[in-house]
Amino acid sequence: MTARAADRARYDRATAHLDAPLAIVDLDAFDANAADLVRRAAGKPVRVASKSVRCRALLERVLAMDGFQGIMSFTLAESLWLARSGFDDVLLAYPSADRGGFAELAADPKLAGAVTVMVDDPAHLDLIDAARDGGREVMRVCLELDTSLKLLGGRFRVGARRSPLHSPAQLAELARSVARRPGFRLVGIMAYEGHIAGVGDAVAGRPLRSRAIRLMQAAARRELAERRAEVVRAVREVVPGLEFVNGGGTGSVQHTAAEDSVTEIAAGSGLYVPRLFDNYTSFTGRPAALFAQPVVRRPGVGVVTVLGGGYPASGAAGRDRLPVPYLPEGLEYDPQEGPGEVQTPLLGSPADDLLIGDKVWFRHAKAGELCERFDALHLVEGDEVTATVPTYRGEGQTFL
């Protein structure tokens, strides 16, 4: 029996009393992935990206482990909810225009002390001030550095279009704006190198593309390490008491941790290890989060149909954004239909061994987006479900 076949047998036994659709997290794999992130971070604390987890119970579990410290959130409303739930170190990774949320933050000393907001433009400071509604609490502020690699005088760009702050001078100038402005305190710098951390460098069947990606990423790492160090020096001249410099992502943990200027690493997807993280030379994780769909039809030889399953991930549309049939091994989509809103035909010889009501296990393309489809995660240890915990959706929270 292969390792994957053994996993399938465990998951089927563990969930035999449960009807699909359902989602699980294999805690043995989750904990092993967490330990690997800590190992790669080489002594620097790992801040957990909540968008890749979207389950309070699992956020609590990983933050109780040595090597993890703090949360990186994705909306202001989520940040406030987490802070009210007892999480006392929440870094909002994206600028917000949530005026009501800023009014709450400015009026509550506990929330203001727990949540750090992201800015990359003086207009963000203006919006926050206009939203205070009489609240006088000091806002903890983080600046975001644009990590993109710019070539040919800026005419060619590699990397996500995030912050407009690219040079040390630009970040130092905004740091001075924050420092001069009452009601704000600059505490950190964040830089997410998505073109390094979020792009696999070992694309199956594409050796030339994979080599090109590795060459690009090596050049991008060198350029960013030098520029990030200059940015940190420039900002510390303005704010010597800077508390943290956050960088990284699951795919670049060990490279970012090696930079002296970085004090903490961000990661989240590496806990669940969705399919987009299969194609990396720098690490190998264990798939921890899966969902099961029930077989509801047997249309013919070599074909079964499962209920639903059309759960595409965000990003540029393509096959790599689709979930993949994972267990039993050897199933694939009908190219004429793909994964459907209500039904999904699956082709392959394993279909002939599946009966009505059997489970087919899938992996989502991305991590936390799976939790937007399910209100609960069944936590599997060995061949038992040892707990069932709500996702954000299961707690009535749909922030995006």
Side-chain angles (χ1 to χ4, degrees):
M1 181 182 291
T2 67
R4 278 174 60 175
D7 282 342
R8 180 196 174 201
R10 286 197 301 116
Y11 301 150
D12 282 349
R13 285 195 299 271
T15 63
H17 62 296
L18 300 171
D19 289 330
L22 59 83
I24 66 166
V25 170
D26 182 333
L27 289 181
D28 293 335
F30 181 90
D31 291 349
N33 293 334
D36 188 60
L37 289 172
V38 171
R39 177 190 62 80
R40 291 197 286 139
K44 293 185 177 178
V46 179
R47 185 180 291 274
V48 184
S50 63
K51 77 176 183 66
S52 300
V53 179
R54 302 192 203 201
C55 171
R56 279 200 301 167
L58 290 177
L59 289 173
E60 290 168 354
R61 182 184 184 90
V62 72
L63 286 171
M65 300 177 186
D66 290 340
F68 290 88
Q69 180 180 306
I71 288 176
M72 178 176 283
S73 59
F74 58 96
T75 73
L76 182 53
E78 180 211 15
S79 305
L80 299 176
W81 180 65
L82 290 173
R84 290 193 185 96
S85 301
F87 297 95
D88 60 3
D89 180 4
V90 182
L91 169 62
L92 175 56
Y94 306 87
S96 176
D98 181 353
R99 292 175 174 82
F102 284 126
E104 291 182 54
L105 192 60
D108 189 317
K110 179 183 176 183
L111 296 178
V115 176
T116 300
V117 301
M118 192 66 60
V119 303
D120 60 33
D121 191 306
H124 292 138
L125 304 177
D126 293 340
L127 186 147
I128 294 170
D129 266 340
R132 285 180 181 271
D133 194 28
R136 297 181 179 275
E137 295 301 322
V138 173
M139 299 285 185
R140 292 170 52 85
V141 169
C142 180
L143 306 183
E144 182 172 1
L145 165 66
D146 170 34
T147 64
S148 63
L149 176 64
K150 295 184 178 181
L151 303 171
L152 302 176
R155 293 190 295 276
F156 183 74
R157 169 196 181 102
V158 179
R161 297 182 182 276
R162 293 176 62 111
S163 170
L165 305 175
H166 190 82
S167 70
Q170 288 174 313
L171 277 100
E173 177 57 32
L174 186 52
R176 283 189 284 270
S177 295
V178 175
R180 288 193 297 261
R181 196 152 180 162
F184 295 91
R185 180 159 65 93
L186 180 59
V187 298
I189 299 171
M190 188 200 85
Y192 171 59
E193 50 266 35
H195 52 303
I196 304 170
V199 178
D201 63 351
V203 184
R206 303 287 297 276
L208 294 179
R209 177 175 173 79
S210 298
R211 177 169 172 75
I213 291 172
R214 288 194 289 273
L215 290 172
M216 176 276 290
Q217 290 179 339
R221 283 197 300 269
R222 289 192 297 270
E223 186 276 337
L224 178 59
E226 180 178 337
R227 180 160 53 89
R228 179 154 40 200
E230 293 174 358
V231 163
V232 172
R233 283 194 294 270
V235 173
R236 285 194 186 277
E237 288 180 3
V238 181
V239 183
L242 206 63
E243 295 177 14
F244 64 85
V245 177
N246 180 282
T250 288
S252 67
V253 170
Q254 66 272 33
H255 300 297
T256 308
E259 296 182 34
D260 291 338
S261 63
V262 173
T263 66
E264 64 175 41
I265 308 300
S269 295
L271 296 169
Y272 288 170
V273 186
R275 66 167 293 203
L276 283 180
F277 285 85
D278 286 347
N279 303 319
Y280 284 77
T281 58
S282 60
F283 79 103
T284 301
R286 292 173 56 184
L290 300 94
F291 66 93
Q293 303 296 102
V295 174
V296 292
R297 285 177 171 162
R298 292 171 49 87
V301 175
V303 186
V304 292
T305 302
V306 299
L307 182 70
Y311 306 158
S314 59
R319 289 184 60 83
D320 65 342
R321 302 289 145 168
L322 301 180
V324 289
Y326 183 61
L327 301 170
E329 298 180 66
L331 293 173
E332 59 185 23
Y333 294 125
D334 181 337
Q336 301 301 315
E337 296 195 46
E341 177 186 8
V342 178
Q343 71 163 33
T344 296
L346 297 171
L347 312 180
S349 59
D352 294 330
D353 296 323
L354 291 169
L355 304 176
I356 300 295
D358 284 351
K359 296 180 177 77
V360 175
W361 296 90
F362 293 77
R363 293 172 65 200
H364 203 281
K366 298 184 79 171
E369 292 183 21
L370 169 67
C371 295
E372 298 299 332
R373 296 287 184 166
F374 292 90
D375 62 6
L377 297 173
H378 302 285
L379 307 184
V380 173
E381 296 182 78
D383 58 0
E384 293 184 84
V385 170
T386 56
T388 297
V389 295
T391 61
Y392 280 12
R393 175 178 173 171
E395 295 199 71
Q397 306 296 332
T398 52
F399 298 109
L400 277 179

Short mmCIF file of all heavy atoms in Angstrom, two decimals, residues 40 147 170 376:
data_model
loop_
_atom_site.label_atom_id
_atom_site.label_comp_id
_atom_site.label_asym_id
_atom_site.label_seq_id
_atom_site.Cartn_x
_atom_site.Cartn_y
_atom_site.Cartn_z
N ARG A 40 12.96 26.13 9.36
CA ARG A 40 13.48 26.96 8.28
C ARG A 40 13.66 28.41 8.70
O ARG A 40 14.49 29.13 8.15
CB ARG A 40 12.54 26.88 7.06
CG ARG A 40 12.57 25.52 6.39
CD ARG A 40 11.99 25.57 4.99
NE ARG A 40 10.56 25.69 4.96
CZ ARG A 40 9.88 26.47 4.13
NH1 ARG A 40 10.53 27.25 3.27
NH2 ARG A 40 8.57 26.51 4.15
N THR A 147 8.26 44.96 -2.91
CA THR A 147 9.38 44.04 -3.09
C THR A 147 9.69 43.75 -4.56
O THR A 147 10.63 43.02 -4.85
CB THR A 147 9.09 42.70 -2.41
OG1 THR A 147 7.98 42.08 -3.06
CG2 THR A 147 8.81 42.89 -0.93
N GLN A 170 11.71 56.82 -0.18
CA GLN A 170 10.24 56.90 -0.10
C GLN A 170 9.73 56.41 1.25
O GLN A 170 8.84 57.02 1.84
CB GLN A 170 9.62 56.06 -1.23
CG GLN A 170 9.78 56.65 -2.61
CD GLN A 170 9.28 55.72 -3.69
OE1 GLN A 170 9.59 54.52 -3.70
NE2 GLN A 170 8.48 56.25 -4.61
N ALA A 376 -17.04 23.96 9.13
CA ALA A 376 -16.34 23.22 10.18
C ALA A 376 -15.18 22.45 9.58
O ALA A 376 -15.21 22.05 8.39
CB ALA A 376 -17.29 22.26 10.89
#
